[in-house]
Amino acid sequence: HVNAPMLRDLVREVMPQRAVIEAVGARPGQGVTSMFSFGRGLGVVEGVLGAMLIPVDYLAPQTWRGRVKLRGDKAEARGLATRTWPSHAGSFSKVKDDGKAEAALIALAAVLQ
């Protein structure tokens, strides 16, 4: 679940010029309930950003991965993020940090447009 007021407060703190969201779709075998939950969360994020007049760019996985030259899996994403930002290596050191690593790499891909 995405907490809309908390997200609004975080975004307000940073006031970005734009946001980037990974453009993903349903995957084979994913259940209806999980897809509904995912769509609902995405809608909250889009709604908060829209209400704050922050433009959103969407990057398909193959697009952002190509731009940052990521060829491997989530572990490779953590490795690439660590090599790209060595002073923040601790942020990507655990297996569960793969989402943070991918988010950072998506942001980098947006800058590399």
Side-chain angles (χ1 to χ4, degrees):
H1 295 283
V2 178
N3 182 323
M6 184 182 291
L7 177 60
R8 179 210 53 219
D9 292 345
L10 289 170
V11 172
R12 186 182 288 152
E13 216 174 283
V14 177
M15 281 312 294
Q17 292 181 348
R18 68 181 178 148
V20 183
I21 295 175
E22 185 178 30
V24 295
R27 295 188 341 194
Q30 261 186 316
V32 174
T33 302
S34 65
M35 282 311 304
F36 180 82
S37 180
F38 177 82
R40 184 175 183 192
L42 175 61
V44 170
V45 171
E46 290 172 326
V48 167
L49 294 170
M52 297 180 76
L53 304 177
I54 296 170
V56 177
D57 294 328
Y58 297 87
L59 287 179
Q62 52 273 40
T63 300
W64 73 260
R65 286 172 157 273
R67 285 187 190 160
V68 300
K69 297 178 178 32
L70 178 63
R71 305 286 180 244
D73 58 7
K74 293 180 179 292
E76 177 58 28
R78 289 178 33 244
L80 179 56
T82 297
R83 291 188 301 278
T84 304
W85 298 283
S87 63
H88 297 282
S91 296
F92 313 116
S93 62
K94 298 181 181 104
V95 172
K96 69 178 184 175
D97 294 334
D98 62 320
K100 281 192 269 184
E102 288 191 347
L105 294 169
I106 290 167
L108 176 60
V111 171
L112 295 174
Q113 277 187 347

